Amino acid sequence: MKLIRIVILALCVSGSLQMSASKKAVQKHIEETTPVDIQFNYFFDDALRERLAGHYDAAIDLLTNCNRIKPNDGNVMYELSKIYVVTKQTDKAIACLEKATVAQPENLWFKTALAEQYLSSQKIDKAVEVYNAIVKIDPENDEALMMLINIYSQSEKYNEAIGALNMLEKVQGMNQDITMEKARLYFMQNQNKKGIAEIDKLVKTYPNEAKYQVLRGDIYLEQKMQKEALACYQQVLNTDPNNGDALYSLSKYYKAVGDTVSMMSVLDQMMRNKNVDLEPKLSVLKDLVTRPSEMQKVEGYLSSLLEMYPEEESLHNYNYLFLMMRQKNEAAENELKIMLDLNPQNKVTWMRMIDMKIKQENFTAIDSLCSKALGYFADDVDFYFYKAIALYQSGKYKETISHCNKALQLVPDENIVMRSQIYTQLGDTYYKLGMKDSTFVSYAQSLKYQPNNIGTLNNYAYYLSLEKRELQKAESMSAKTVAAEPTNATYLDTYAWIFFVEGNYSLAKIYEKQAIDNGGDKSPEVLEHYGDILFMAGEKEEALVWWQKAVNAGNNSPLLKKKIEMKSYLEK
């Protein structure tokens, strides 16, 4: 295949600004695509698809073929490194990234990935070397500069950190965060004059911004220069008595000097003053909520603030979080309702409400919430997915499939977790409809995206055992779930039932007993299974006891009642 690019040059006549009648000849630049390129691209594209699907061994094989065709190609090495990172083979990842950066020394993506792997391997000096190389290529790369600042600070190389901060300041301009960090680094080296000089720059640059004067006071307070701190706060409050930042910092000053009475007096004055902004008041609450002895005061302040700012979403959000922390779920749910009325465009609030209803197992409410949310987020896969779950729990299986298919249309290919979950839900639903082949196809598709999705592995294995199909495969999948969660009663029950279907009653009994010991004694189905296993193991009287326990636990199955009446195991 040939890639042809055509470049047309049009010339204007000097002076007249009119197009010349004579035209330059059309030039064709042809870039040859060789058979080697075609073969390389074929393997490389397939490798990307396999990696995204989680098929790492297949992807490595394909990329290895690419490497034979074009040894040490930068893109091949980079893609290999991604697989080795996911599979926690850090040394191999680093080796590939080193080759990638040699192949493409100007590629900042490769260098950044290499630096990150050096850091994860505690090869700090090498990481610093790479980040400095990135800054040399791109002096305005603020991410690399910030990484250098963090590394130097943690390594106590304060002068180097300050140097990187100065470079960052050239990129971003003077701002509070950079200046404060420089000041702190100077103070940590006992260079107090230089630290204060940094804060003074902010104050002089922005003389009308009271917050920088407050910041100067905060720095003084951190350095135990309490008189100087108090002077800064009083200077601001003399001009603006309702400055919330200055009042909050003044309360911290009183705390630092041990004057609790004055501290609480300032806080009370600040919290009940309508002319003080809400943001510093929330800062006070965030501080107080960390102290168990202050919970009653926090509740009082919140009550007053909610009356003062009834339509402030951020305040209702804070109250919601506080109520959840205090395990006052009903009141917290009411706050979510208020927040949805104030701002129905906030997806986080919808998701919190749905999560609350999931815990309550109120699937009718989930269905309704998702329908309303889709009115604001028409193409949001999450709401289609949760609506599908609600429909499934309500026995509306055909509608469940419709919403799962819509979710599959919306979810990006790279979101392998969500795609896996949707296919699992499809598998569960198809089984309810008696579409067993579609069930197992859906489960297989789910595992294609997430091979170790233990929920899918469990359901796949269990339904195979019910159909007495591919029992060795079912046993292998179920074993993975038990290895991952050895005390999960559901997974233990599935494992036991597979052994039962295989006729291995001794192993079935062992694992079903483990299921019961780990919470399965509350499950009517587990109790019935244990009775079935005991009966087939020859313990017929004991089986009757456990079948009766299943009835007492709420198992109203006509088949179970018949087992008890006939004192015999019966298949469906």
Side-chain angles (χ1 to χ4, degrees):
M1 178 184 290
K2 294 182 179 179
L3 178 63
I4 302 176
R5 294 196 181 106
I6 301 175
V7 180
I8 300 177
L9 302 178
L11 298 181
C12 291
V13 176
S14 175
S16 66
L17 298 179
Q18 295 179 351
M19 188 69 69
S20 171
S22 62
K23 296 182 179 178
K24 283 276 186 180
V26 173
Q27 297 178 347
K28 296 184 180 180
H29 296 285
I30 302 173
E31 294 179 2
E32 293 289 344
T33 301
T34 67
V36 171
D37 293 329
I38 294 171
Q39 186 183 29
F40 176 88
N41 292 336
Y42 175 81
F43 285 127
F44 189 77
D45 290 344
D46 271 359
L48 294 184
R49 282 191 286 271
E50 294 293 346
R51 181 181 67 77
L52 288 172
H55 301 158
Y56 300 130
D57 289 341
I60 289 172
D61 287 342
L62 289 163
L63 288 169
T64 301
N65 280 330
C66 291
N67 193 45
R68 291 194 192 101
I69 297 167
K70 294 185 179 181
N72 295 328
D73 178 88
N75 293 314
V76 172
M77 292 298 112
Y78 182 58
E79 290 300 324
L80 277 169
S81 76
K82 290 181 181 179
I83 298 171
Y84 291 134
V85 168
V86 172
T87 56
K88 302 188 186 306
Q89 300 180 69
T90 307
D91 289 342
K92 287 185 177 181
I94 288 173
C96 288
L97 285 167
E98 287 174 339
K99 291 177 182 177
T101 55
V102 169
Q104 297 184 28
E106 301 293 311
N107 191 307
L108 299 184
W109 289 103
F110 296 174
K111 287 186 182 296
T112 300
L114 178 58
E116 288 171 354
Q117 290 309 305
Y118 280 146
L119 281 179
S120 70
S121 302
Q122 297 300 306
K123 297 178 180 179
I124 307 301
D125 290 342
K126 287 191 173 184
V128 168
E129 184 180 334
V130 175
Y131 280 124
N132 276 315
I134 292 171
V135 172
K136 188 174 181 180
I137 295 169
D138 179 12
E140 296 187 358
N141 192 310
D142 50 6
E143 289 185 10
L145 286 168
M146 285 189 281
M147 289 304 300
L148 284 170
I149 292 161
N150 288 333
I151 294 168
Y152 286 139
S153 297
Q154 291 172 16
S155 304
E156 298 184 1
K157 295 180 178 179
Y158 300 129
N159 287 332
E160 289 88 342
I162 290 169
L165 282 163
N166 286 330
M167 293 177 70
L168 185 63
E169 193 171 58
K170 288 180 182 178
V171 174
Q172 296 184 355
M174 181 181 289
N175 67 58
Q176 174 182 322
D177 293 335
I178 294 174
T179 301
M180 289 290 290
E181 187 60 24
K182 281 201 285 183
R184 285 195 179 91
L185 292 173
Y186 280 126
F187 287 128
M188 289 176 77
Q189 299 177 84
N190 294 318
Q191 298 181 35
N192 292 356
K193 287 185 179 179
K194 287 186 176 181
I196 292 169
E198 287 294 331
I199 305 300
D200 285 344
K201 284 183 192 175
L202 275 176
V203 175
K204 290 175 182 177
T205 305
Y206 306 101
N208 296 322
E209 292 281 353
K211 64 180 180 180
Y212 296 124
Q213 182 73 354
V214 174
L215 275 174
R216 178 159 57 180
D218 292 343
I219 291 292
Y220 282 135
L221 196 60
E222 283 181 15
Q223 300 305 309
K224 303 190 184 307
M225 301 167 67
Q226 292 159 346
K227 289 182 180 179
E228 291 84 350
L230 180 60
C232 289
Y233 304 145
Q234 287 177 334
Q235 182 178 339
V236 173
L237 291 169
N238 286 339
T239 305
D240 178 10
N242 298 316
N243 187 294
D245 292 327
L247 287 168
Y248 184 31
S249 290
L250 181 61
S251 75
K252 292 179 182 179
Y253 161 79
Y254 284 124
K255 181 182 178 183
V257 298
D259 189 348
T260 308
V261 173
S262 295
M263 178 190 78
M264 294 311 301
S265 174
V266 170
L267 286 179
D268 282 339
Q269 170 194 343
M270 172 185 170
M271 298 298 279
R272 301 185 193 285
N273 187 341
K274 291 183 179 180
N275 295 317
V276 174
D277 292 338
L278 177 59
E279 188 175 345
K281 293 176 180 178
L282 290 177
S283 297
V284 171
L285 292 175
K286 289 172 185 175
D287 184 25
L288 291 176
V289 82
T290 61
R291 308 177 210 164
S293 61
E294 301 290 353
M295 291 301 102
Q296 191 172 353
K297 184 168 285 295
V298 172
E299 287 183 0
Y301 282 152
L302 275 169
S303 179
S304 297
L305 291 175
L306 287 165
E307 288 182 16
M308 203 179 297
Y309 309 99
E311 296 187 0
E312 280 289 343
E313 184 185 5
S314 60
L315 179 58
H316 286 285
N317 180 59
Y318 187 87
N319 194 37
Y320 159 79
L321 295 172
F322 177 73
L323 291 167
M324 289 296 291
M325 183 186 76
R326 303 280 284 171
Q327 297 183 338
K328 296 183 177 182
N329 293 348
E330 188 175 342
E333 183 177 336
N334 189 56
E335 281 292 357
L336 289 177
K337 291 176 182 176
I338 294 171
M339 289 163 65
L340 286 175
D341 286 339
L342 290 172
N343 181 16
Q345 301 284 354
N346 190 331
K347 180 182 174 180
V348 172
T349 309
W350 288 104
M351 294 303 292
R352 283 171 172 172
M353 184 69 90
I354 290 168
D355 182 61
M356 192 168 277
K357 294 303 175 183
I358 288 173
K359 290 172 183 174
Q360 296 170 7
E361 298 186 3
N362 187 342
F363 295 103
T364 302
I366 294 169
D367 187 356
S368 175
L369 282 166
C370 288
S371 294
K372 291 176 183 176
L374 285 167
Y376 299 98
F377 306 93
D379 294 326
D380 194 294
V381 65
D382 291 326
F383 296 122
Y384 276 101
F385 178 62
Y386 283 108
K387 185 172 176 67
I389 292 173
L391 290 166
Y392 174 83
Q393 293 294 334
S394 301
K396 299 176 181 177
Y397 301 129
K398 290 184 179 179
E399 290 181 60
T400 302
I401 290 171
S402 173
H403 280 76
C404 283
N405 287 331
K406 179 65 175 178
L408 283 173
Q409 292 172 16
L410 295 171
V411 66
D413 287 340
E414 59 270 20
N415 190 345
I416 59 175
V417 174
M418 178 58 84
R419 294 190 77 84
S420 178
Q421 290 175 334
I422 295 168
Y423 276 113
T424 298
Q425 184 61 63
L426 276 171
D428 294 346
T429 310
Y430 282 131
Y431 195 83
K432 291 290 186 182
L433 290 170
M435 302 169 66
K436 291 162 188 175
D437 289 341
S438 295
T439 295
F440 299 127
V441 168
S442 295
Y443 286 147
Q445 192 70 13
S446 172
L447 294 176
K448 177 183 174 183
Y449 288 103
Q450 261 193 307
N452 295 317
N453 184 330
I454 56 175
T456 307
L457 288 167
N458 177 77
N459 292 8
Y460 197 171
Y462 184 62
Y463 287 137
L464 281 174
S465 72
L466 292 184
E467 299 304 312
K468 298 183 180 178
R469 291 166 60 170
E470 300 183 80
L471 293 177
Q472 285 299 311
K473 179 179 179 179
E475 183 184 325
S476 175
M477 290 191 293
S478 185
K480 290 180 182 178
T481 71
V482 172
E485 294 188 21
T487 61
N488 186 303
T490 299
Y491 300 158
L492 288 164
D493 172 63
T494 296
Y495 202 34
W497 193 250
I498 294 167
F499 285 126
F500 174 81
V501 175
E502 290 176 329
N504 191 338
Y505 304 125
S506 57
L507 276 179
K509 180 180 175 182
I510 289 170
Y511 284 103
E512 201 67 67
K513 184 62 169 64
Q514 287 184 26
I516 288 168
D517 292 341
N518 285 283
D521 56 331
K522 299 177 183 65
S523 166
E525 185 178 22
V526 170
L527 296 171
E528 182 181 359
H529 281 175
Y530 194 46
D532 295 343
I533 292 165
L534 290 171
F535 186 90
M536 297 305 291
E539 301 178 43
K540 297 181 180 180
E541 293 300 321
E542 191 67 13
L544 287 169
V545 172
W546 285 91
W547 283 336
Q548 188 57 52
K549 286 183 178 181
V551 171
N552 296 341
N555 191 328
N556 298 316
S557 163
L559 181 64
L560 175 58
K561 290 179 181 178
K562 201 168 183 180
K563 289 178 189 177
I564 295 171
E565 289 171 7
M566 299 183 67
K567 299 182 180 181
S568 178
Y569 171 71
L570 301 170
E571 286 196 21
K572 293 181 180 178

